[in-house]
C-alpha cells in the first residue's frame, strides 16, 4: 500500500538508506513497496535487491517535482514503464525544459496525482488521484466518490521516526541555505510522512477501505524487471559476434607482427608472443568481450586520426591483445604481466580500460563516442558527492546559527567538549547520522557506459554543464547491473608531451616520434637524466619525494622506474617496505628470501611485494592456486570485492595446497600474513608500467628539448609545482625570461629561439579578451610602434593599460614607466566616453589624471632599474624574473655556501645556506608532534632538501614564500643529501619589499 516511499537519494530530502527502508518495511509487515525518489533513480536496482533479500516486493517509480512542487508520481508496471518514466525525466533535463504540469500518456506506467489538476472525468486509464490520510474526511459527500476506481491511498514516506524528521529538517535547511529556525512548513515534509505500521495506516483509511485496496492493486500490477548481466552492454561492434571475433583476431595478429617483428619470426620470444595472443583471444571470446576490445580500439583509432596522444593504462595493460591493438604501449611480455589480472573465467566483474588523453582533447573524444554509438545508448557515469567529515559540522553549524568562530572550535577540537558551544553535542550527533549521505550528483572521472538497448531502460539521465548526460547510478551500481565502463580520462602530462612536440616543430623545424618507446627507453641520455633526478616537469616523477627516491636508487632503467612508481605510493612508504626495498636494491647479496618461490618470482624486486600482481604470483606458485583464483583472492584482500563465502573457501584451499606441497604450517601462515597485509596498499604493475612509459617520454623531451618541454608544461598549467618554479627551471636550462610584451607575448607563454615571453595569462587581473585583442590587432597591423599607436588600435580599459605599463610591456619604446603613465594620461580616452572634437588633442577627465598621480606617488613608481622591475613583477606576476637572491643585501650571503648541487660533498658538516622556498610537507612523528620536510632552490639554481624536526620547527617556523637563511648538518641517506636544520630565519624578498599576493 506504500506507493510513495523515498530513500536518501531524494537528495537533501529523504533520510533512509535503501537497505534501511527495505528492512524496516519488512519488519513492519509490508509485502510490497514502491520506491519513488524525487527526480532520481540512483538506487532503484539496489533497492530492488535489498527488498528481494528481505522478502518484500519492490516497485520502481519516480516522483516528479518542479521547483519544490510534487507534480505527479510514476510507477513502472514493467521495464517498458521504467523506460517511459526515465525518458520523461531525462528529456526535461537534456532539453533544458520544465517538466510538463500534466504527465504525458503512458502505456506501461501508472501516474498518481497528489492533487486534482484536471477534472477526474478526464483521467486516462493509467491516471489516479492520491488521497493522503489527512484528506480522507474531505471525501464525505464529495463528487469524487463517484469515481472510487480512480482514487488510491497515498501516504508518502521520507523518514522512520521523530529523529528522522529532525534529520530531514536539517537537510532541508542545508538545501535552502537558511537557518533551521527560518525553515517554513511549506519547505519540509509533514511530520506524519513517515514509515508507520500497516495497521496504523489502514486505520486512517478505515472509512474508505477501497483506497487501500486500489493502492495494493497498483502494486500488484507492477513488476521490477531489471535482468542484470553483461548482456546490457553493447553486444557487437561489427553487427555480429562472429564478425567481431574475426576482426579482433585479424587486428591482434597483424599487431603482433608489427610489435614483435624485430625479434624474428622464428625466435622463441616471437612464438611465445603469438601463442599468448591466441590464448588471450580465446578467453576474450569465451567471456564475450570482443566488442569491448573493439570499441576501445575504435576510440583510440579515432584519437590517433585526430592527432591526439593517449596512454592506455590500468589492468588493461596486462593484455598482449591490447598491446597489439595499440590500446596501450606497455609490453606485457617484457614485464611478465598476467592477463588473468585483467580477465579470467572466475572474475565476475567486467574489466575496464583506462585511456588517458590530454585535458584539452578528452572532451572531443567523448563527443565522438556519443555521436558514434548514439546518445540514447551512451552516458557518462555519475559519482555521488557525499556529506562527510568537517564539511558536515560546518553545514550543521550554519543552519543552527553558530558564529564561524564557534564552528571552527568544534572542527579544530572535536574531542574537547569543554571548549564547544552548547549546541555542539547536537551537531555532532546529527553529523554522525549524516555521514555518507549523498549530497548531489557529480561526474565520474571518465567512466562511460554504452548499452545495447536504450539506456532509459536502466536509468534516467541528467545533463551536466559540459553538455554530456550522466547516468543517475555510479560506478558501483553500474557494475552491479553488469555494465562495463570505458574510462576516458584526462591528464596534463599528455598535454605537456603533445605541446612539446608541436613547439619543437615550430621552434626548431624538427619532427619527433614520441611513440618509439623501445628507442626512448634505451637512450643513454634519457637514462642519465633519470639517474640524476633532474625530472622537473616530467610526468609522475617530479615531486621532491620521487626525485629523492630516484637518486637513492640510482634509477636508470624502465624496470626499476616501474618499481619506483609503485613503492612511492603512501601505503608502501608508510609500511616501511620502501626503505626495505632501497636497502635490498643496494645490497642484493644480503637478501634472505622467505622461500625459493620468493626468489624465483620476486627476484626483480628483491623479494619485496611491490605490485598487486605479486599477490597472484606468490599464491599461484607457492600454494598452487590457479591464476584466476589468485586474482579473485587479490581483489577480496584489496577490498575491491566483498569477502562472502568465496574468501573463506580460497583461504582453506590455500592452506590445503600448502600442506599437500609439504610446506611447514608456520611458513604457510607467514606467507599468508605477508600477502594479506600487503594487498591492502598494493599497486597494479600494469598501472605503474603505463606511468613509467609516459615518464620516459617526458624525460626524452626534457633531455633533448628542455626549453620546449618546460614551456609546454607552463602552458598546460599542470604539474606538482606552481608556474613560477617552471619559469625558474626554464632559466636554469638556458632560457632567457622576458616579462609580458605587447609585441611578443600571447595569451600563453611563447618561445622564440631561447627567448621565453611570459604569456598575458600570468599577469594578475589581465582579462583574457584583452589579451586576445592585443594579439589579434598585432597580427592584423604588425608590431606596435608606440603607446599611442597601441591605444589607437586596441580598445582597452585604463586599468588594463596600467597593468601593461607597470609590468614593462612597453619597454621596447625606451620610455620609463613614469613617462609612459603620463603619456597614457594625455592620450587615453576611456571606452564609452569618446567625444567628437575639433581639438587636436582629446580631453582627459580629472579622474584619469588623478590615477597617474596616485601611481607616481605609490611604491609602484620605484626608480627605474632591476629593483623596480622586480617590485612590479612580484606584485603583478607573483614572482620576480631575476633570481630572488639578487634582491638581498650583501650581508645576507656572509658565511653561506653557494653550491647547493654539491651539498652531498659536505656530509657530516654544519653549514649555512640560503634557500628560496618551493614547498614543504608536514607530517606527524610517532609521538604525534609536527615535523616537516622542505624543498628549496639554492643560489646555483639547483634543488636541495631539508628536514625540520619538531623542536626546530616550533622555534623556527615557515613564514611563507621568500628567501630563508638556514643552518644545519648535512646528512645522506643512500647517497641522497639533505640538511637537518637547526636554525632558520626568514629574509623575505630583501630590498623588493613587496609581499606575494
Amino acid at each position: 500500500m506504500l506507493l510513495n516511499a523515498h530513500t536518501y537519494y531524494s537528495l537533501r530530502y529523504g533520510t533512509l538508506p535503501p537497505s534501511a527502508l527495505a528492512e524496516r518495511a519488512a519488519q513492519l509487515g509490508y509485502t510490497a513497496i514502491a520506491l519513488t525518489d524525487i527526480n532520481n533513480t540512483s538506487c532503484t536496482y539496489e533497492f530492488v535487491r535489498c527488498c528481494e533479500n528481505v522478502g518484500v516486493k519492490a516497485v520502481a517509480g519516480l516522483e516528479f517535482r518542479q521547483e519544490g512542487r510534487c507534480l505527479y508520481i510514476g510507477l513502472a508496471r514493467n521495464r517498458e514503464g521504467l523506460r517511459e518514466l526515465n525518458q520523461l525525466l531525462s528529456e526535461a533535463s537534456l532539453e533544458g525544459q520544465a517538466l510538463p504540469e500534466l504527465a504525458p500518456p503512458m502505456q506501461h506506467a501508472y501516474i498518481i496525482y497528489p492533487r486534482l489538476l484536471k477534472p477526474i472525468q478526464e483521467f486516462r486509464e493509467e491516471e489516479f488521484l492520491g488521497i493522503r490520510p489527512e484528506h480522507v474526511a474531505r471525501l464525505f459527500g464529495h463528487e469524487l466518490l463517484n469515481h472510487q476506481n480512480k482514487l488510491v491511498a497515498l501516504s508518502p514516506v521520507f523518514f522512520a521516526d521523530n529523529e528522522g524528521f529532525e534529520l530531514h529538517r536539517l537537510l532541508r535547511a542545508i538545501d535552502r541555505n537558511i537557518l533551521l529556525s527560518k525553515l517554513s512548513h511549506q519547505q519540509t515534509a509533514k511530520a506524519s510522512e513517515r514509515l508507520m505500521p500497516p495497521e496504523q495506516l489502514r486505520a486512517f483509511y478505515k472509512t474508505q477501505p477501497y483506497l487501500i485496496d486500489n493502492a495494493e492493486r497498483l502494486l500488484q500490477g507492477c513488476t521490477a524487471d531489471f535482468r542484470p548481466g553483461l548482456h546490457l552492454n553493447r553486444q557487437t561492434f561489427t553487427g555480429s559476434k562472429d564478425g567481431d571475433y574475426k576482426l579482433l583476431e585479424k587486428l591482434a595478429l597483424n599487431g603482433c607482427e608489427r610489435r614483435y617483428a624485430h625479434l624474428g619470426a622464428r625466435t622463441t620470444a616471437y612464438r611465445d608472443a603469438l601463442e599468448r595472443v591466441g590464448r588471450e583471444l580465446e578467453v576474450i571470446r569465451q567471456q564475450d568481450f570482443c566488442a569491448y576490445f573493439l570499441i576501445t580500439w575504435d576510440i583510440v583509432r579515432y584519437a590517433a586520426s585526430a592527432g591526439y596522444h593517449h596512454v592506455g593504462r590500468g589492468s588493461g595493460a596486462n593484455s598482449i591483445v591490447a598491446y597489439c591493438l595499440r590500446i596501450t604501449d606497455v609490453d606485457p611480455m617484457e614485464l611478465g604481466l598476467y592477463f588473468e589480472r585483467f580477465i579470467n573465467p572466475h572474475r565476475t566483474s567486467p574489466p575496464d580500460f583506462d585511456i588517458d588523453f590530454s585535458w584539452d582533447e578528452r572532451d572531443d573524444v567523448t563527443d565522438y563516442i556519443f555521436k558514434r554509438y548514439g546518445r540514447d545508448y551512451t552516458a557518462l557515469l555519475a559519482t555521488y558527492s557525499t556529506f562527510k567529515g568537517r564539511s558536515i559540522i560546518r553545514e550543521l553549524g550554519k543552519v543552527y546559527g553558530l558564529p564561524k568562530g564557534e564552528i571552527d572550535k568544534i572542527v579544530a577540537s572535536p574531542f574537547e567538549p569543554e571548549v564547544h558551544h552548547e549546541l555542539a553535542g547536537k551537531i555532532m550527533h546529527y553529523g554522525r547520522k549524516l555521514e555518507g549521505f549523498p549530497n548531489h550528483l557529480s561526474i565520474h572521472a571518465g567512466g562511460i557506459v554504452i548499452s545495447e538497448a536504450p539506456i532509459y531502460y536502466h536509468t534516467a539521465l541528467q545533463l551536466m554543464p559540459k553538455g554530456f548526460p550522466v547516468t543517475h547510478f555510479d560506478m558501483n551500481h553500474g557494475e552491479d547491473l553488469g555494465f562495463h565502463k570505458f574510462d576516458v580520462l584526462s591528464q596534463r602530462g599528455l598535454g605537456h608531451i603533445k605541446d612539446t612536440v608541436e613547439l619543437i616543430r615550430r621552434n626548431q623545424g624538427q619532427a619527433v616520434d614520441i611513440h618509439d618507446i623501445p628507442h626512448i627507453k634505451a637512450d643513454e641520455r634519457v637514462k642519465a637524466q633519470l639517474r640524476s633526478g633532474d625530472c622537473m616537469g616530467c610526468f609522475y616523477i617530479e615531486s621532491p619525494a620521487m626525485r629523492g627516491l630516484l637518486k637513492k636508487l640510482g634509477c636508470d632503467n624502465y624496470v626499476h622506474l616501474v618499481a619506483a612508481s609503485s613503492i612511492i605510493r603512501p601505503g608502501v612508504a608508510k609500511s616501511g617496505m620502501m626503505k626495505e626495498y632501497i636497502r635490498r636494491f643496494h645490497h642484493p647479496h644480503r637478501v634472505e628470501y622467505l622461500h625459493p618461490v620468493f626468489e624465483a618470482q620476486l627476484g626483480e624486486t628483491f623479494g619485496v611485494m611491490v605490485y598487486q600482481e605479486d599477490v597472484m604470483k606468490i599464491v599461484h606458485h607457492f600454494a598452487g592456486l590457479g591464476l584466476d583464483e589468485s586474482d579473485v583472492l587479490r581483489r577480496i584482500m584489496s577490498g575491491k570485492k566483498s569477502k562472502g563465502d568465496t574468501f573463506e573457501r580460497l583461504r582453506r584451499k590455500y592452506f590445503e595446497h600448502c600442506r599437500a606441497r609439504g610446506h611447514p604450517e608456520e611458513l604457510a601462515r607467514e606467507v599468508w600474513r605477508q600477502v594479506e597485509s600487503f594487498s591492502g596498499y598494493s599497486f597494479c604493475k600494469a598501472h605503474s608500467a603505463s606511468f613509467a612509459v609516459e615518464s620516459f617520454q617526458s624525460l626524452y623531451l626534457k633531455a633533448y628539448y628542455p626549453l620546449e618541454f618546460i614551456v609546454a608544461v607552463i602552458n598546460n598549467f599542470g604539474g606538482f609545482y606552481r608556474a613560477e618554479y617552471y619559469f625558474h627551471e626554464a632559466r636554469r636550462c638556458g632560457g632567457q625570461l622576458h616579462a609580458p610584451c605587447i609585441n611578443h607575448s600571447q595569451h600563453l607563454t611563447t618561445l622564440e629561439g631561447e627567448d621565453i615571453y611570459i604569456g598575458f595569462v600570468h599577469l594578475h587581473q589581465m582579462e583574457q579578451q584583452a589579451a586576445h585583442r592585443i594579439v589579434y590587432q598585432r597580427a592584423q597591423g604588425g608590431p606596435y610602434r608606440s603607446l599611442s599607436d597601441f591605444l589607437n588600435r586596441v580598445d582597452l580599459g585604463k586599468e588594463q593599460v596600467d597593468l601593461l605599463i607597470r609590468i614593462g610591456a612597453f619597454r621596447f619604446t625606451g620610455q620609463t614607466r613614469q613617462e609612459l603613465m603620463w603619456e597614457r594620461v594625455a592620450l587615453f580616452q576611456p571606452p564609452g566616453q569618446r567625444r567628437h572634437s575639433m581639438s587636436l588633442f582629446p580631453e582627459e577627465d580629472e579622474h584619469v589624471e588623478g590615477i597617474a598621480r596616485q601611481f607616481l606617488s605609490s611604491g609602484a613608481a620605484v626608480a627605474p632599474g632591476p629593483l623596480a622591475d622586480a617590485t612590479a613583477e612580484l606584485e603583478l606576476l607573483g614572482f620576480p624574473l631575476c633570481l630572488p637572491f639578487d634582491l638581498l643585501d650583501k650581508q645576507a650571503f656572509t658565511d653561506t655556501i653557494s653550491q647547493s648541487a654539491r651539498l652531498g660533498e659536505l656530509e657530516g658538516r654544519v653549514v649555512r645556506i640560503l634557500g628560496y622556498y618551493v614547498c614543504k610537507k608536514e607530517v606527524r612523528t610517532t609521538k604525534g608532534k609536527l615535523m616537516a620536510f622542505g624543498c628549496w632552490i639554492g643560489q646555483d639554481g639547483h634543488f636541495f632538501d631539508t628536514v625540520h624536526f619538531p623542536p626546530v620547527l616550533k622555534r623556527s617556523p615557515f613564514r611563507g614564500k621568500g628567501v630563508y637563511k638556514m643552518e644545519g648538518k648535512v646528512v645522506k641517506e643512500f647517497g641522497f643529501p639533505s640538511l637537518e636544520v637547526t636554525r632558520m630565519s626568514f629574509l623575505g624578498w630583501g630590498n623588493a619589499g613587496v609581499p606575494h599576493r
Side-chain angles (χ1 to χ4, degrees), residues 739-746 758-767 769-775 778 784 786-787 790-791 794-813 815-817 820-821 824 828 855 869 872-873 876-877:
C741 171
I742 61 168
N743 276 336
H744 290 279
S745 292
Q746 299 192 33
I758 294 178
F760 293 120
V761 69
H762 297 285
L763 186 55
H764 296 173
Q765 299 180 349
M766 187 70 184
E767 297 169 2
Q769 288 304 314
H772 289 321
R773 283 198 292 272
I774 293 169
V775 175
R778 188 175 71 215
Y784 301 105
S786 63
L787 176 60
F790 176 81
L791 292 178
V794 184
D795 187 10
L796 290 185
K798 57 181 178 293
E799 295 85 1
Q800 298 290 289
V801 178
D802 288 351
L803 284 175
L804 294 169
I805 291 173
R806 291 169 60 196
I807 198 61
F810 294 93
R811 57 189 176 276
F812 67 92
T813 65
Q815 297 173 274
T816 66
R817 291 178 174 85
L820 286 164
M821 186 59 74
R824 198 276 289 163
F828 187 81
F855 169 79
D869 293 341
E873 290 157 4
L876 300 178
L877 296 175

Side-chain angles (χ1 to χ4, degrees), residues 100-288:
E101 290 289 322
L102 297 174
M106 297 278 178
Q107 298 295 317
H108 303 278
Y110 296 125
I111 297 295
I112 303 166
Y113 291 99
R115 63 187 65 84
L116 201 60
L117 297 179
K118 64 179 180 179
I120 198 163
Q121 296 87 346
E122 297 179 12
F123 274 35
R124 296 186 301 271
E125 181 183 355
E126 76 275 12
E127 293 181 315
F128 298 87
L129 179 64
I131 306 298
R132 291 171 177 261
E134 63 269 26
H135 296 160
V136 173
R138 299 182 188 178
L139 288 176
F140 288 102
H142 201 287
E143 65 172 349
L144 288 175
L145 291 175
N146 297 322
H147 304 276
Q148 292 184 8
N149 64 320
K150 284 295 181 182
L151 309 180
V152 295
L154 185 65
S155 180
V157 173
F158 289 101
F159 32 84
D161 48 33
N162 289 338
E163 190 170 61
F165 177 56
E166 183 65 14
L167 193 61
H168 162 75
R169 293 181 70 247
L170 290 168
L171 285 168
R172 298 306 301 133
I174 290 171
D175 183 59
R176 305 292 297 183
N177 195 26
I178 59 176
L179 293 173
L180 188 63
S181 58
K182 299 292 185 181
L183 197 64
S184 68
H185 295 301
Q186 292 77 20
Q187 293 168 329
T188 69
K190 292 182 173 64
S192 60
E193 294 181 350
R194 64 183 64 199
L195 188 57
M196 62 185 74
E199 55 273 15
Q200 182 181 350
L201 187 57
R202 288 184 184 278
F204 281 117
Y205 292 97
K206 64 182 179 181
T207 60
Q208 308 287 341
Y210 62 89
L211 293 173
I212 294 286
D213 296 337
N214 289 349
E216 291 185 337
R217 193 175 299 115
L218 292 191
L219 291 175
Q220 293 307 313
C222 297
T223 303
D225 183 11
F226 273 87
R227 307 176 194 174
L230 295 178
H231 64 276
L232 300 183
N233 300 279
R234 184 176 172 109
Q235 292 297 289
T236 67
F237 178 76
T238 62
S240 74
K241 294 190 176 184
D242 186 53
D244 281 0
Y245 179 75
K246 288 179 180 177
L247 176 59
L248 182 62
E249 182 183 44
K250 177 178 176 59
L251 293 171
L253 293 176
N254 289 350
C256 184
E257 185 176 344
R258 285 193 302 270
R259 289 288 202 181
Y260 297 101
H262 66 281
L263 299 176
R266 297 186 178 182
T267 61
T268 302
Y270 182 79
R271 289 198 300 273
D272 287 347
L274 202 60
E275 185 274 331
R276 175 160 170 170
V277 168
R279 181 162 51 87
E280 284 194 15
L281 284 171
E282 187 59 33
V283 175
I284 292 168
R285 178 161 64 174
Q286 289 174 0
Q287 296 289 91
D288 202 15

Side-chain angles (χ1 to χ4, degrees), residues 263-336:
L263 299 176
R266 297 186 178 182
T267 61
T268 302
Y270 182 79
R271 289 198 300 273
D272 287 347
L274 202 60
E275 185 274 331
R276 175 160 170 170
V277 168
R279 181 162 51 87
E280 284 194 15
L281 284 171
E282 187 59 33
V283 175
I284 292 168
R285 178 161 64 174
Q286 289 174 0
Q287 296 289 91
D288 202 15
F289 291 137
C290 291
Y292 178 71
F293 272 78
L294 289 171
I295 291 171
T296 306
W297 166 76
D298 177 56
I299 294 169
V300 170
R301 179 180 59 166
Y302 167 75
S305 71
Y308 300 158
H309 295 266
H310 84 278
V311 169
R313 59 179 177 85
S315 60
N318 286 67
S319 166
I320 195 172
V321 171
Y323 180 62
C324 292
L325 267 60
R326 294 197 178 276
I327 293 172
T328 175
D329 279 324
V330 175
D331 181 358
M333 302 295 286
E334 177 186 13
L335 295 172

